[in-house]
Amino acid sequence: ELGKEFARIFADTAPDRILTVESSGIAVALAAGAAMNIPVVFAKKHRTSNIFGEAYSSVVHSYTHDCDYTIIVEKEYIHRSDRVLLIDDFLANGKAIEGLLEIIGQAGAEAVGAGIAVEKGFQEGGAHLRSKGLRVESLAIIERMDENGIVFRE
């Protein structure tokens, strides 16, 4: 159902591939890719032995783990003519999306938007990305979280 909703929301953007970061974004991205019938590419968080060719890369700071890591996508998977939709499970400070945007820029491709399952609206990521002109569509936005519970934006 998440995938179908992203397909509906971004139907007007005509993406030809989806890009996400491993690993928690993959499930949501695959659902969207299946609903849109387009391929899904994911950025690896480390260069591994099965990355053979040249790659695009970006350094991303993880708010959750408080560390930097380099995300990597082999050049054969993103091309200059691509219209790329970013999909992720959570949006907090926006660093993962910024890293994916950097990779899209290195490829000379076009970012058509970012679909987020849950946005932490009390953090600056969504507002910052929107202020840069990126279309960000979140299925749920948490207004605040505290010892009294979670409040969602209406």
PDB file of all heavy atoms in Angstrom, residues 65-105:
ATOM      1  N   HIS A  65      23.282   7.053  14.238  1.00  0.00           N
ATOM      2  CA  HIS A  65      24.502   6.397  14.723  1.00  0.00           C
ATOM      3  C   HIS A  65      25.615   7.387  15.054  1.00  0.00           C
ATOM      4  O   HIS A  65      26.686   6.982  15.501  1.00  0.00           O
ATOM      5  CB  HIS A  65      24.990   5.375  13.694  1.00  0.00           C
ATOM      6  CG  HIS A  65      23.976   4.310  13.421  1.00  0.00           C
ATOM      7  ND1 HIS A  65      23.661   3.330  14.323  1.00  0.00           N
ATOM      8  CD2 HIS A  65      23.186   4.088  12.348  1.00  0.00           C
ATOM      9  CE1 HIS A  65      22.728   2.538  13.820  1.00  0.00           C
ATOM     10  NE2 HIS A  65      22.420   2.990  12.630  1.00  0.00           N
ATOM     11  N   ASP A  66      25.386   8.674  14.789  1.00  0.00           N
ATOM     12  CA  ASP A  66      26.363   9.729  15.038  1.00  0.00           C
ATOM     13  C   ASP A  66      27.730   9.407  14.446  1.00  0.00           C
ATOM     14  O   ASP A  66      28.759   9.441  15.120  1.00  0.00           O
ATOM     15  CB  ASP A  66      26.486  10.030  16.536  1.00  0.00           C
ATOM     16  CG  ASP A  66      27.249  11.329  16.787  1.00  0.00           C
ATOM     17  OD1 ASP A  66      27.220  12.221  15.903  1.00  0.00           O
ATOM     18  OD2 ASP A  66      27.903  11.449  17.848  1.00  0.00           O
ATOM     19  N   CYS A  67      27.712   9.070  13.143  1.00  0.00           N
ATOM     20  CA  CYS A  67      28.971   8.807  12.446  1.00  0.00           C
ATOM     21  C   CYS A  67      28.786   9.131  10.961  1.00  0.00           C
ATOM     22  O   CYS A  67      27.668   9.279  10.479  1.00  0.00           O
ATOM     23  CB  CYS A  67      29.407   7.354  12.627  1.00  0.00           C
ATOM     24  SG  CYS A  67      28.310   6.162  11.825  1.00  0.00           S
ATOM     25  N   ASP A  68      29.893   9.275  10.255  1.00  0.00           N
ATOM     26  CA  ASP A  68      29.872   9.502   8.821  1.00  0.00           C
ATOM     27  C   ASP A  68      30.103   8.177   8.094  1.00  0.00           C
ATOM     28  O   ASP A  68      30.862   7.336   8.569  1.00  0.00           O
ATOM     29  CB  ASP A  68      30.972  10.482   8.410  1.00  0.00           C
ATOM     30  CG  ASP A  68      30.715  11.894   8.903  1.00  0.00           C
ATOM     31  OD1 ASP A  68      29.559  12.208   9.241  1.00  0.00           O
ATOM     32  OD2 ASP A  68      31.672  12.681   8.951  1.00  0.00           O
ATOM     33  N   TYR A  69      29.455   8.023   6.954  1.00  0.00           N
ATOM     34  CA  TYR A  69      29.732   6.879   6.101  1.00  0.00           C
ATOM     35  C   TYR A  69      29.632   7.343   4.654  1.00  0.00           C
ATOM     36  O   TYR A  69      29.000   8.351   4.351  1.00  0.00           O
ATOM     37  CB  TYR A  69      28.810   5.693   6.399  1.00  0.00           C
ATOM     38  CG  TYR A  69      27.331   5.999   6.329  1.00  0.00           C
ATOM     39  CD1 TYR A  69      26.620   5.876   5.140  1.00  0.00           C
ATOM     40  CD2 TYR A  69      26.631   6.398   7.459  1.00  0.00           C
ATOM     41  CE1 TYR A  69      25.282   6.153   5.080  1.00  0.00           C
ATOM     42  CE2 TYR A  69      25.276   6.691   7.409  1.00  0.00           C
ATOM     43  CZ  TYR A  69      24.615   6.552   6.222  1.00  0.00           C
ATOM     44  OH  TYR A  69      23.276   6.839   6.158  1.00  0.00           O
ATOM     45  N   THR A  70      30.289   6.602   3.783  1.00  0.00           N
ATOM     46  CA  THR A  70      30.288   6.933   2.362  1.00  0.00           C
ATOM     47  C   THR A  70      29.293   6.041   1.646  1.00  0.00           C
ATOM     48  O   THR A  70      29.415   4.819   1.699  1.00  0.00           O
ATOM     49  CB  THR A  70      31.696   6.743   1.760  1.00  0.00           C
ATOM     50  OG1 THR A  70      32.609   7.584   2.469  1.00  0.00           O
ATOM     51  CG2 THR A  70      31.717   7.097   0.287  1.00  0.00           C
ATOM     52  N   ILE A  71      28.296   6.662   1.000  1.00  0.00           N
ATOM     53  CA  ILE A  71      27.351   5.879   0.213  1.00  0.00           C
ATOM     54  C   ILE A  71      27.875   5.790  -1.223  1.00  0.00           C
ATOM     55  O   ILE A  71      28.499   6.726  -1.730  1.00  0.00           O
ATOM     56  CB  ILE A  71      25.924   6.444   0.277  1.00  0.00           C
ATOM     57  CG1 ILE A  71      25.847   7.891  -0.213  1.00  0.00           C
ATOM     58  CG2 ILE A  71      25.374   6.320   1.697  1.00  0.00           C
ATOM     59  CD1 ILE A  71      24.426   8.424  -0.330  1.00  0.00           C
ATOM     60  N   ILE A  72      27.626   4.654  -1.849  1.00  0.00           N
ATOM     61  CA  ILE A  72      28.221   4.345  -3.150  1.00  0.00           C
ATOM     62  C   ILE A  72      27.180   3.727  -4.085  1.00  0.00           C
ATOM     63  O   ILE A  72      26.425   2.843  -3.673  1.00  0.00           O
ATOM     64  CB  ILE A  72      29.383   3.345  -2.977  1.00  0.00           C
ATOM     65  CG1 ILE A  72      30.463   3.939  -2.076  1.00  0.00           C
ATOM     66  CG2 ILE A  72      29.978   2.950  -4.314  1.00  0.00           C
ATOM     67  CD1 ILE A  72      31.478   2.919  -1.607  1.00  0.00           C
ATOM     68  N   VAL A  73      27.163   4.189  -5.339  1.00  0.00           N
ATOM     69  CA  VAL A  73      26.345   3.594  -6.396  1.00  0.00           C
ATOM     70  C   VAL A  73      27.234   3.439  -7.617  1.00  0.00           C
ATOM     71  O   VAL A  73      27.863   4.417  -8.050  1.00  0.00           O
ATOM     72  CB  VAL A  73      25.121   4.469  -6.756  1.00  0.00           C
ATOM     73  CG1 VAL A  73      24.356   3.876  -7.939  1.00  0.00           C
ATOM     74  CG2 VAL A  73      24.210   4.651  -5.559  1.00  0.00           C
ATOM     75  N   GLU A  74      27.295   2.238  -8.170  1.00  0.00           N
ATOM     76  CA  GLU A  74      28.078   2.043  -9.388  1.00  0.00           C
ATOM     77  C   GLU A  74      27.487   2.879 -10.525  1.00  0.00           C
ATOM     78  O   GLU A  74      26.273   3.020 -10.649  1.00  0.00           O
ATOM     79  CB  GLU A  74      28.103   0.568  -9.785  1.00  0.00           C
ATOM     80  CG  GLU A  74      29.087  -0.240  -8.966  1.00  0.00           C
ATOM     81  CD  GLU A  74      29.278  -1.630  -9.500  1.00  0.00           C
ATOM     82  OE1 GLU A  74      30.123  -1.799 -10.410  1.00  0.00           O
ATOM     83  OE2 GLU A  74      28.593  -2.537  -9.012  1.00  0.00           O
ATOM     84  N   LYS A  75      28.370   3.436 -11.346  1.00  0.00           N
ATOM     85  CA  LYS A  75      27.962   4.347 -12.421  1.00  0.00           C
ATOM     86  C   LYS A  75      27.025   3.700 -13.431  1.00  0.00           C
ATOM     87  O   LYS A  75      26.208   4.391 -14.034  1.00  0.00           O
ATOM     88  CB  LYS A  75      29.190   4.925 -13.125  1.00  0.00           C
ATOM     89  CG  LYS A  75      29.925   5.931 -12.262  1.00  0.00           C
ATOM     90  CD  LYS A  75      31.068   6.584 -13.013  1.00  0.00           C
ATOM     91  CE  LYS A  75      31.721   7.653 -12.138  1.00  0.00           C
ATOM     92  NZ  LYS A  75      32.782   8.367 -12.878  1.00  0.00           N
ATOM     93  N   GLU A  76      27.083   2.406 -13.584  1.00  0.00           N
ATOM     94  CA  GLU A  76      26.233   1.748 -14.583  1.00  0.00           C
ATOM     95  C   GLU A  76      24.741   1.783 -14.225  1.00  0.00           C
ATOM     96  O   GLU A  76      23.890   1.531 -15.065  1.00  0.00           O
ATOM     97  CB  GLU A  76      26.673   0.304 -14.806  1.00  0.00           C
ATOM     98  CG  GLU A  76      26.393  -0.613 -13.641  1.00  0.00           C
ATOM     99  CD  GLU A  76      26.821  -2.045 -13.910  1.00  0.00           C
ATOM    100  OE1 GLU A  76      26.059  -2.768 -14.572  1.00  0.00           O
ATOM    101  OE2 GLU A  76      27.914  -2.416 -13.456  1.00  0.00           O
ATOM    102  N   TYR A  77      24.404   2.136 -12.978  1.00  0.00           N
ATOM    103  CA  TYR A  77      23.015   2.077 -12.540  1.00  0.00           C
ATOM    104  C   TYR A  77      22.272   3.412 -12.578  1.00  0.00           C
ATOM    105  O   TYR A  77      21.054   3.447 -12.418  1.00  0.00           O
ATOM    106  CB  TYR A  77      22.929   1.491 -11.133  1.00  0.00           C
ATOM    107  CG  TYR A  77      23.412   0.065 -11.102  1.00  0.00           C
ATOM    108  CD1 TYR A  77      24.572  -0.271 -10.429  1.00  0.00           C
ATOM    109  CD2 TYR A  77      22.725  -0.936 -11.781  1.00  0.00           C
ATOM    110  CE1 TYR A  77      25.027  -1.580 -10.409  1.00  0.00           C
ATOM    111  CE2 TYR A  77      23.181  -2.241 -11.771  1.00  0.00           C
ATOM    112  CZ  TYR A  77      24.323  -2.554 -11.083  1.00  0.00           C
ATOM    113  OH  TYR A  77      24.783  -3.846 -11.076  1.00  0.00           O
ATOM    114  N   ILE A  78      22.977   4.513 -12.762  1.00  0.00           N
ATOM    115  CA  ILE A  78      22.335   5.824 -12.904  1.00  0.00           C
ATOM    116  C   ILE A  78      22.968   6.540 -14.088  1.00  0.00           C
ATOM    117  O   ILE A  78      24.193   6.638 -14.167  1.00  0.00           O
ATOM    118  CB  ILE A  78      22.480   6.686 -11.626  1.00  0.00           C
ATOM    119  CG1 ILE A  78      21.871   5.970 -10.427  1.00  0.00           C
ATOM    120  CG2 ILE A  78      21.786   8.041 -11.819  1.00  0.00           C
ATOM    121  CD1 ILE A  78      22.009   6.737  -9.135  1.00  0.00           C
ATOM    122  N   HIS A  79      22.117   7.046 -14.971  1.00  0.00           N
ATOM    123  CA  HIS A  79      22.604   7.672 -16.208  1.00  0.00           C
ATOM    124  C   HIS A  79      22.113   9.113 -16.328  1.00  0.00           C
ATOM    125  O   HIS A  79      21.117   9.499 -15.720  1.00  0.00           O
ATOM    126  CB  HIS A  79      22.119   6.861 -17.407  1.00  0.00           C
ATOM    127  CG  HIS A  79      22.395   5.402 -17.261  1.00  0.00           C
ATOM    128  ND1 HIS A  79      21.415   4.511 -16.889  1.00  0.00           N
ATOM    129  CD2 HIS A  79      23.535   4.687 -17.374  1.00  0.00           C
ATOM    130  CE1 HIS A  79      21.936   3.299 -16.813  1.00  0.00           C
ATOM    131  NE2 HIS A  79      23.215   3.385 -17.089  1.00  0.00           N
ATOM    132  N   ARG A  80      22.775   9.862 -17.165  1.00  0.00           N
ATOM    133  CA  ARG A  80      22.464  11.273 -17.381  1.00  0.00           C
ATOM    134  C   ARG A  80      20.998  11.497 -17.755  1.00  0.00           C
ATOM    135  O   ARG A  80      20.387  12.484 -17.348  1.00  0.00           O
ATOM    136  CB  ARG A  80      23.383  11.830 -18.473  1.00  0.00           C
ATOM    137  CG  ARG A  80      23.149  13.293 -18.791  1.00  0.00           C
ATOM    138  CD  ARG A  80      24.193  13.862 -19.727  1.00  0.00           C
ATOM    139  NE  ARG A  80      25.536  13.805 -19.179  1.00  0.00           N
ATOM    140  CZ  ARG A  80      26.034  14.639 -18.268  1.00  0.00           C
ATOM    141  NH1 ARG A  80      25.277  15.593 -17.791  1.00  0.00           N
ATOM    142  NH2 ARG A  80      27.261  14.512 -17.827  1.00  0.00           N
ATOM    143  N   SER A  81      20.401  10.591 -18.490  1.00  0.00           N
ATOM    144  CA  SER A  81      19.021  10.768 -18.956  1.00  0.00           C
ATOM    145  C   SER A  81      17.969  10.354 -17.923  1.00  0.00           C
ATOM    146  O   SER A  81      16.771  10.523 -18.159  1.00  0.00           O
ATOM    147  CB  SER A  81      18.811   9.942 -20.233  1.00  0.00           C
ATOM    148  OG  SER A  81      19.023   8.565 -19.951  1.00  0.00           O
ATOM    149  N   ASP A  82      18.392   9.848 -16.774  1.00  0.00           N
ATOM    150  CA  ASP A  82      17.440   9.316 -15.795  1.00  0.00           C
ATOM    151  C   ASP A  82      16.681  10.395 -15.035  1.00  0.00           C
ATOM    152  O   ASP A  82      17.219  11.439 -14.697  1.00  0.00           O
ATOM    153  CB  ASP A  82      18.158   8.428 -14.774  1.00  0.00           C
ATOM    154  CG  ASP A  82      18.622   7.115 -15.362  1.00  0.00           C
ATOM    155  OD1 ASP A  82      18.065   6.682 -16.391  1.00  0.00           O
ATOM    156  OD2 ASP A  82      19.551   6.514 -14.796  1.00  0.00           O
ATOM    157  N   ARG A  83      15.411  10.071 -14.761  1.00  0.00           N
ATOM    158  CA  ARG A  83      14.547  10.863 -13.876  1.00  0.00           C
ATOM    159  C   ARG A  83      14.385  10.016 -12.621  1.00  0.00           C
ATOM    160  O   ARG A  83      13.723   8.980 -12.651  1.00  0.00           O
ATOM    161  CB  ARG A  83      13.208  11.146 -14.552  1.00  0.00           C
ATOM    162  CG  ARG A  83      13.370  12.007 -15.813  1.00  0.00           C
ATOM    163  CD  ARG A  83      12.044  12.215 -16.535  1.00  0.00           C
ATOM    164  NE  ARG A  83      10.977  12.703 -15.679  1.00  0.00           N
ATOM    165  CZ  ARG A  83      10.843  13.973 -15.268  1.00  0.00           C
ATOM    166  NH1 ARG A  83      11.722  14.882 -15.649  1.00  0.00           N
ATOM    167  NH2 ARG A  83       9.831  14.326 -14.499  1.00  0.00           N
ATOM    168  N   VAL A  84      15.005  10.464 -11.540  1.00  0.00           N
ATOM    169  CA  VAL A  84      15.153   9.629 -10.351  1.00  0.00           C
ATOM    170  C   VAL A  84      14.246  10.115  -9.223  1.00  0.00           C
ATOM    171  O   VAL A  84      14.254  11.289  -8.857  1.00  0.00           O
ATOM    172  CB  VAL A  84      16.622   9.637  -9.869  1.00  0.00           C
ATOM    173  CG1 VAL A  84      16.805   8.727  -8.665  1.00  0.00           C
ATOM    174  CG2 VAL A  84      17.568   9.223 -11.002  1.00  0.00           C
ATOM    175  N   LEU A  85      13.486   9.171  -8.673  1.00  0.00           N
ATOM    176  CA  LEU A  85      12.668   9.427  -7.500  1.00  0.00           C
ATOM    177  C   LEU A  85      13.386   8.835  -6.289  1.00  0.00           C
ATOM    178  O   LEU A  85      13.759   7.668  -6.301  1.00  0.00           O
ATOM    179  CB  LEU A  85      11.289   8.784  -7.657  1.00  0.00           C
ATOM    180  CG  LEU A  85      10.353   8.868  -6.448  1.00  0.00           C
ATOM    181  CD1 LEU A  85      10.048  10.326  -6.094  1.00  0.00           C
ATOM    182  CD2 LEU A  85       9.072   8.091  -6.728  1.00  0.00           C
ATOM    183  N   LEU A  86      13.591   9.647  -5.278  1.00  0.00           N
ATOM    184  CA  LEU A  86      14.206   9.188  -4.041  1.00  0.00           C
ATOM    185  C   LEU A  86      13.111   8.673  -3.120  1.00  0.00           C
ATOM    186  O   LEU A  86      12.064   9.311  -2.987  1.00  0.00           O
ATOM    187  CB  LEU A  86      14.961  10.328  -3.356  1.00  0.00           C
ATOM    188  CG  LEU A  86      16.008  11.034  -4.218  1.00  0.00           C
ATOM    189  CD1 LEU A  86      16.570  12.237  -3.477  1.00  0.00           C
ATOM    190  CD2 LEU A  86      17.097  10.076  -4.611  1.00  0.00           C
ATOM    191  N   ILE A  87      13.349   7.536  -2.500  1.00  0.00           N
ATOM    192  CA  ILE A  87      12.392   6.966  -1.546  1.00  0.00           C
ATOM    193  C   ILE A  87      13.166   6.558  -0.301  1.00  0.00           C
ATOM    194  O   ILE A  87      14.249   5.955  -0.405  1.00  0.00           O
ATOM    195  CB  ILE A  87      11.666   5.727  -2.123  1.00  0.00           C
ATOM    196  CG1 ILE A  87      10.825   6.083  -3.352  1.00  0.00           C
ATOM    197  CG2 ILE A  87      10.826   5.032  -1.051  1.00  0.00           C
ATOM    198  CD1 ILE A  87       9.525   6.799  -3.065  1.00  0.00           C
ATOM    199  N   ASP A  88      12.628   6.882   0.876  1.00  0.00           N
ATOM    200  CA  ASP A  88      13.262   6.448   2.119  1.00  0.00           C
ATOM    201  C   ASP A  88      12.205   6.215   3.183  1.00  0.00           C
ATOM    202  O   ASP A  88      11.076   6.699   3.063  1.00  0.00           O
ATOM    203  CB  ASP A  88      14.296   7.463   2.596  1.00  0.00           C
ATOM    204  CG  ASP A  88      15.440   6.827   3.375  1.00  0.00           C
ATOM    205  OD1 ASP A  88      15.392   5.602   3.651  1.00  0.00           O
ATOM    206  OD2 ASP A  88      16.384   7.549   3.717  1.00  0.00           O
ATOM    207  N   ASP A  89      12.580   5.477   4.212  1.00  0.00           N
ATOM    208  CA  ASP A  89      11.625   5.163   5.264  1.00  0.00           C
ATOM    209  C   ASP A  89      11.431   6.328   6.224  1.00  0.00           C
ATOM    210  O   ASP A  89      10.316   6.679   6.570  1.00  0.00           O
ATOM    211  CB  ASP A  89      12.018   3.884   6.004  1.00  0.00           C
ATOM    212  CG  ASP A  89      13.397   3.940   6.637  1.00  0.00           C
ATOM    213  OD1 ASP A  89      14.219   4.806   6.276  1.00  0.00           O
ATOM    214  OD2 ASP A  89      13.676   3.083   7.509  1.00  0.00           O
ATOM    215  N   PHE A  90      12.525   6.944   6.672  1.00  0.00           N
ATOM    216  CA  PHE A  90      12.445   8.061   7.615  1.00  0.00           C
ATOM    217  C   PHE A  90      13.218   9.258   7.089  1.00  0.00           C
ATOM    218  O   PHE A  90      14.230   9.101   6.407  1.00  0.00           O
ATOM    219  CB  PHE A  90      13.039   7.673   8.983  1.00  0.00           C
ATOM    220  CG  PHE A  90      12.102   6.870   9.828  1.00  0.00           C
ATOM    221  CD1 PHE A  90      12.116   5.489   9.794  1.00  0.00           C
ATOM    222  CD2 PHE A  90      11.187   7.508  10.663  1.00  0.00           C
ATOM    223  CE1 PHE A  90      11.249   4.746  10.574  1.00  0.00           C
ATOM    224  CE2 PHE A  90      10.313   6.775  11.449  1.00  0.00           C
ATOM    225  CZ  PHE A  90      10.344   5.383  11.406  1.00  0.00           C
ATOM    226  N   LEU A  91      12.761  10.450   7.447  1.00  0.00           N
ATOM    227  CA  LEU A  91      13.467  11.693   7.162  1.00  0.00           C
ATOM    228  C   LEU A  91      13.602  12.449   8.473  1.00  0.00           C
ATOM    229  O   LEU A  91      12.590  12.780   9.104  1.00  0.00           O
ATOM    230  CB  LEU A  91      12.707  12.540   6.137  1.00  0.00           C
ATOM    231  CG  LEU A  91      13.229  13.953   5.884  1.00  0.00           C
ATOM    232  CD1 LEU A  91      14.656  13.933   5.366  1.00  0.00           C
ATOM    233  CD2 LEU A  91      12.321  14.681   4.907  1.00  0.00           C
ATOM    234  N   ALA A  92      14.834  12.682   8.897  1.00  0.00           N
ATOM    235  CA  ALA A  92      15.091  13.435  10.135  1.00  0.00           C
ATOM    236  C   ALA A  92      15.839  14.711   9.777  1.00  0.00           C
ATOM    237  O   ALA A  92      15.252  15.750   9.555  1.00  0.00           O
ATOM    238  CB  ALA A  92      15.867  12.579  11.129  1.00  0.00           C
ATOM    239  N   ASN A  93      17.158  14.611   9.647  1.00  0.00           N
ATOM    240  CA  ASN A  93      17.948  15.806   9.333  1.00  0.00           C
ATOM    241  C   ASN A  93      18.204  15.966   7.836  1.00  0.00           C
ATOM    242  O   ASN A  93      18.767  16.958   7.412  1.00  0.00           O
ATOM    243  CB  ASN A  93      19.255  15.817  10.127  1.00  0.00           C
ATOM    244  CG  ASN A  93      20.159  14.654   9.786  1.00  0.00           C
ATOM    245  OD1 ASN A  93      19.916  13.937   8.818  1.00  0.00           O
ATOM    246  ND2 ASN A  93      21.195  14.452  10.569  1.00  0.00           N
ATOM    247  N   GLY A  94      17.828  14.993   7.042  1.00  0.00           N
ATOM    248  CA  GLY A  94      17.907  15.101   5.584  1.00  0.00           C
ATOM    249  C   GLY A  94      19.249  14.754   4.970  1.00  0.00           C
ATOM    250  O   GLY A  94      19.422  14.879   3.756  1.00  0.00           O
ATOM    251  N   LYS A  95      20.200  14.310   5.760  1.00  0.00           N
ATOM    252  CA  LYS A  95      21.550  14.062   5.230  1.00  0.00           C
ATOM    253  C   LYS A  95      21.580  12.912   4.233  1.00  0.00           C
ATOM    254  O   LYS A  95      22.316  12.967   3.243  1.00  0.00           O
ATOM    255  CB  LYS A  95      22.546  13.826   6.362  1.00  0.00           C
ATOM    256  CG  LYS A  95      22.700  15.018   7.297  1.00  0.00           C
ATOM    257  CD  LYS A  95      23.108  16.264   6.551  1.00  0.00           C
ATOM    258  CE  LYS A  95      23.262  17.453   7.477  1.00  0.00           C
ATOM    259  NZ  LYS A  95      23.446  18.691   6.766  1.00  0.00           N
ATOM    260  N   ALA A  96      20.801  11.860   4.455  1.00  0.00           N
ATOM    261  CA  ALA A  96      20.778  10.741   3.506  1.00  0.00           C
ATOM    262  C   ALA A  96      20.244  11.204   2.150  1.00  0.00           C
ATOM    263  O   ALA A  96      20.823  10.890   1.099  1.00  0.00           O
ATOM    264  CB  ALA A  96      19.953   9.583   4.048  1.00  0.00           C
ATOM    265  N   ILE A  97      19.159  11.978   2.166  1.00  0.00           N
ATOM    266  CA  ILE A  97      18.595  12.490   0.919  1.00  0.00           C
ATOM    267  C   ILE A  97      19.580  13.429   0.237  1.00  0.00           C
ATOM    268  O   ILE A  97      19.763  13.377  -0.988  1.00  0.00           O
ATOM    269  CB  ILE A  97      17.243  13.191   1.167  1.00  0.00           C
ATOM    270  CG1 ILE A  97      16.203  12.198   1.698  1.00  0.00           C
ATOM    271  CG2 ILE A  97      16.744  13.883  -0.097  1.00  0.00           C
ATOM    272  CD1 ILE A  97      15.800  11.099   0.740  1.00  0.00           C
ATOM    273  N   GLU A  98      20.258  14.284   1.001  1.00  0.00           N
ATOM    274  CA  GLU A  98      21.267  15.165   0.414  1.00  0.00           C
ATOM    275  C   GLU A  98      22.383  14.360  -0.242  1.00  0.00           C
ATOM    276  O   GLU A  98      22.856  14.718  -1.326  1.00  0.00           O
ATOM    277  CB  GLU A  98      21.853  16.102   1.470  1.00  0.00           C
ATOM    278  CG  GLU A  98      20.921  17.225   1.859  1.00  0.00           C
ATOM    279  CD  GLU A  98      21.525  18.171   2.883  1.00  0.00           C
ATOM    280  OE1 GLU A  98      22.539  17.829   3.525  1.00  0.00           O
ATOM    281  OE2 GLU A  98      20.967  19.265   3.035  1.00  0.00           O
ATOM    282  N   GLY A  99      22.806  13.274   0.387  1.00  0.00           N
ATOM    283  CA  GLY A  99      23.835  12.420  -0.205  1.00  0.00           C
ATOM    284  C   GLY A  99      23.361  11.788  -1.498  1.00  0.00           C
ATOM    285  O   GLY A  99      24.104  11.722  -2.487  1.00  0.00           O
ATOM    286  N   LEU A 100      22.107  11.331  -1.526  1.00  0.00           N
ATOM    287  CA  LEU A 100      21.553  10.757  -2.753  1.00  0.00           C
ATOM    288  C   LEU A 100      21.445  11.823  -3.843  1.00  0.00           C
ATOM    289  O   LEU A 100      21.706  11.546  -5.021  1.00  0.00           O
ATOM    290  CB  LEU A 100      20.188  10.127  -2.480  1.00  0.00           C
ATOM    291  CG  LEU A 100      20.192   8.892  -1.575  1.00  0.00           C
ATOM    292  CD1 LEU A 100      18.763   8.459  -1.266  1.00  0.00           C
ATOM    293  CD2 LEU A 100      20.993   7.756  -2.187  1.00  0.00           C
ATOM    294  N   LEU A 101      21.074  13.048  -3.468  1.00  0.00           N
ATOM    295  CA  LEU A 101      21.023  14.143  -4.438  1.00  0.00           C
ATOM    296  C   LEU A 101      22.400  14.433  -5.020  1.00  0.00           C
ATOM    297  O   LEU A 101      22.538  14.721  -6.215  1.00  0.00           O
ATOM    298  CB  LEU A 101      20.451  15.406  -3.791  1.00  0.00           C
ATOM    299  CG  LEU A 101      18.960  15.394  -3.492  1.00  0.00           C
ATOM    300  CD1 LEU A 101      18.577  16.587  -2.620  1.00  0.00           C
ATOM    301  CD2 LEU A 101      18.143  15.376  -4.785  1.00  0.00           C
ATOM    302  N   GLU A 102      23.430  14.346  -4.189  1.00  0.00           N
ATOM    303  CA  GLU A 102      24.789  14.552  -4.678  1.00  0.00           C
ATOM    304  C   GLU A 102      25.169  13.488  -5.714  1.00  0.00           C
ATOM    305  O   GLU A 102      25.759  13.790  -6.745  1.00  0.00           O
ATOM    306  CB  GLU A 102      25.782  14.544  -3.516  1.00  0.00           C
ATOM    307  CG  GLU A 102      27.182  14.888  -3.951  1.00  0.00           C
ATOM    308  CD  GLU A 102      28.167  14.990  -2.791  1.00  0.00           C
ATOM    309  OE1 GLU A 102      27.741  15.266  -1.650  1.00  0.00           O
ATOM    310  OE2 GLU A 102      29.366  14.794  -3.048  1.00  0.00           O
ATOM    311  N   ILE A 103      24.782  12.248  -5.449  1.00  0.00           N
ATOM    312  CA  ILE A 103      25.064  11.163  -6.400  1.00  0.00           C
ATOM    313  C   ILE A 103      24.306  11.395  -7.712  1.00  0.00           C
ATOM    314  O   ILE A 103      24.873  11.244  -8.797  1.00  0.00           O
ATOM    315  CB  ILE A 103      24.720   9.796  -5.767  1.00  0.00           C
ATOM    316  CG1 ILE A 103      25.815   9.446  -4.751  1.00  0.00           C
ATOM    317  CG2 ILE A 103      24.557   8.711  -6.822  1.00  0.00           C
ATOM    318  CD1 ILE A 103      25.556   8.214  -3.924  1.00  0.00           C
ATOM    319  N   ILE A 104      23.046  11.796  -7.627  1.00  0.00           N
ATOM    320  CA  ILE A 104      22.269  12.100  -8.835  1.00  0.00           C
ATOM    321  C   ILE A 104      22.940  13.229  -9.618  1.00  0.00           C
ATOM    322  O   ILE A 104      23.035  13.186 -10.843  1.00  0.00           O
ATOM    323  CB  ILE A 104      20.818  12.454  -8.467  1.00  0.00           C
ATOM    324  CG1 ILE A 104      20.099  11.218  -7.946  1.00  0.00           C
ATOM    325  CG2 ILE A 104      20.076  13.053  -9.653  1.00  0.00           C
ATOM    326  CD1 ILE A 104      18.752  11.512  -7.311  1.00  0.00           C
ATOM    327  N   GLY A 105      23.423  14.238  -8.905  1.00  0.00           N
ATOM    328  CA  GLY A 105      24.121  15.349  -9.548  1.00  0.00           C
ATOM    329  C   GLY A 105      25.403  14.898 -10.230  1.00  0.00           C
ATOM    330  O   GLY A 105      25.711  15.340 -11.340  1.00  0.00           O
TER     331      GLY A 105
END
